[in-house]
Amino acid sequence: MENTEKKNLSDWVDERLAQLPQQEEWQPDAARALRRFRQARRTQNARVLQTVAAIAACVLPAALPKSRRMIQRLWTGSHVVNIGQVSADVRALKDGQIAPDFALKNAQGAGLRLSTYRGKVVLLNFWGNLVPRMHD
Amino acid sequence: MGTQILRAETEAAHRPKEAEPTLEFEEIFQSQYPRIARLMARVIRDWARAEELSVEVFLKFWRSPAVRVGNAPGWLHRVAVRGALDELRRRTRSRYESLFRLGHSTPTPEELRGLSEGQERVRNVLAVIDRRDAELLLLRSQGWSYSELASTLGLNPVSIGTLLLRAQQAFGKEYMTCYGKH
């Protein structure tokens, strides 16, 4: 491209861009903007803290052995599965028969055995903790 | 009273320094904010939005400690131009979509006239061409020298002339395509 053409193009583009006013008449309020900046920083910090707290709330219980066991028990319903293992025997029972003995763990993890309640009235309540309605 | 003052001083000493802008940062903010805001307003023609976007530029600046020790004004101007161009692209796209989308009433003569004004033509072209070309043209039209452009945009000073010429050609071609020679 010839130098004259380059110059013409450059001048023409400069003319077009000069149509965008420089906004010299406008005096932006720096003090107000600084206040907005501080407010935005505080909001950002709060968001970061919330995110960190949420992650910690999810990760920490899984990291500690005791809470991890509790989560696993709640998730799998392990103490209910034990009942499931004996439920076939229970279903085959007839009125007046002695219930077969079984052992399982309670919600606190302590072992218990049906025979320890011999002579007492025992109510067996079968329910699933994953069904929201059962919590009511 | 003395205990209260001592407590206040102790609290101030233990307050995290990162939480509030430092004096040096405030000086940069006070000196550069008006320029950044005007530059953005020049591109997007909206003072209120330019103020919001300028604060966002300074938030990015605050989050990048490395750039604070370098060429802070240059970095701020570059980020401001990019932010303004992004906003311009969003606006141009949404305006055309709202004017010509199906089911919308025919644009009024006033709306069409607004689109054909000289300033709007320039903005529309800047919104369409390559972003680096638009950045170069805008910063050059702000009176920046070749060396300032090169250091701020991270380009080879020798190639600035060529890149600027290409940007002008791209602008001219797009302008001619959309609006003809005038």
Side-chain angles (χ1 to χ4, degrees):
Chain A
M1 187 186 279
E2 292 296 323
N3 282 342
T4 319
E5 278 182 56
K6 284 183 189 174
K7 180 78 173 64
N8 286 344
L9 175 67
S10 178
D11 289 347
W12 182 84
V13 173
D14 286 348
E15 264 177 45
R16 301 279 92 68
L17 288 168
Q19 291 179 349
L20 300 180
Q22 290 287 349
Q23 313 290 327
E24 292 296 339
E25 75 281 12
W26 179 40
Q27 296 298 327
D29 189 343
R32 190 180 62 183
L34 192 56
R35 285 197 297 277
R36 287 169 78 168
F37 170 83
R38 286 185 178 131
Q39 179 64 41
R41 286 259 327 131
R42 277 194 288 272
T43 310
Q44 271 187 356
N45 285 345
R47 277 197 200 127
V48 170
L49 281 176
Q50 283 169 0
T51 309
V52 170
I55 292 169
C58 294
V59 171
L60 275 181
L64 300 172
K66 201 169 181 180
S67 51
R68 191 168 56 230
R69 273 200 302 276
M70 190 180 285
I71 291 169
Q72 278 173 344
R73 235 183 359 251
L74 288 170
W75 185 253
T76 58
S78 57
H79 53 289
V80 178
V81 172
N82 287 340
I83 293 174
Q85 287 166 358
V86 297
S87 63
D89 297 336
V90 173
R91 223 179 282 125
L93 282 176
K94 294 194 172 98
D95 286 349
Q97 270 191 296
I98 294 172
D101 194 21
F102 61 84
L104 47 75
K105 286 180 180 175
N106 66 12
Q108 283 74 43
L112 62 87
R113 186 170 278 279
L114 179 66
S115 54
T116 54
Y117 297 97
R118 193 169 295 279
K120 295 177 183 171
V121 176
V122 177
L123 171 67
L124 288 175
N125 182 18
F126 295 89
W127 65 287
N129 63 353
L130 298 179
V131 182
R133 201 154 43 90
M134 293 293 194
H135 291 246
D136 298 335
Chain B
M1 183 63 123
T3 316
Q4 282 179 345
I5 292 170
L6 187 64
R7 193 183 302 149
E9 283 175 353
T10 312
E11 282 172 3
H14 287 91
R15 201 174 295 141
K17 287 194 172 82
E18 196 265 343
E20 290 298 325
T22 60
L23 194 62
E24 187 194 0
F25 178 85
E26 282 198 19
E27 279 172 11
I28 294 174
F29 192 100
Q30 298 281 359
S31 64
Q32 295 299 321
Y33 173 77
R35 291 177 198 170
I36 296 296
R38 282 199 198 100
L39 169 59
M40 296 191 104
R42 186 182 176 215
V43 179
I44 64 172
R45 204 187 58 170
D46 181 342
W47 290 354
R49 185 68 182 136
E51 284 185 334
E52 285 174 11
L53 291 173
S54 303
V55 170
E56 282 177 23
V57 170
F58 279 94
L59 281 169
K60 282 182 190 164
F61 182 60
W62 177 261
R63 284 196 296 263
S64 317
V67 299
R68 279 190 257 160
V69 293
N71 177 14
W75 189 91
L76 286 167
H77 277 76
R78 191 185 65 193
V79 174
V81 165
R82 283 185 185 171
L85 283 170
D86 288 344
E87 175 73 9
L88 196 59
R89 280 161 199 252
R90 269 196 299 274
R91 285 177 175 218
T92 306
R93 202 166 44 232
S94 64
R95 186 173 44 186
Y96 275 102
E97 280 169 3
S98 67
L99 278 178
F100 298 111
R101 70 172 176 254
L102 284 173
H104 190 272
S105 58
T106 312
T108 63
E110 184 61 28
E111 285 172 327
L112 288 173
R113 193 188 66 79
L115 281 175
S116 65
E117 280 176 355
Q119 282 183 33
E120 289 309 295
R121 288 180 178 187
V122 175
R123 289 192 176 98
N124 290 337
V125 173
L126 286 173
V128 173
I129 62 174
D130 183 75
R131 196 166 74 161
R132 195 181 67 173
D133 289 344
E135 276 174 36
L136 267 172
L137 292 174
L138 277 168
L139 289 173
R140 180 69 177 156
S141 78
Q142 289 287 112
W144 284 37
S145 66
Y146 279 24
S147 59
E148 284 172 327
L149 286 172
S151 66
T152 304
L153 300 176
L155 300 168
N156 185 348
V158 181
S159 61
I160 285 290
T162 311
L163 292 172
L164 202 53
L165 178 64
R166 281 189 201 149
Q168 288 167 341
Q169 286 170 336
F171 181 92
K173 189 180 171 190
E174 187 63 36
Y175 196 97
M176 298 293 180
T177 307
C178 294
Y179 307 110
K181 204 166 184 176
H182 303 287

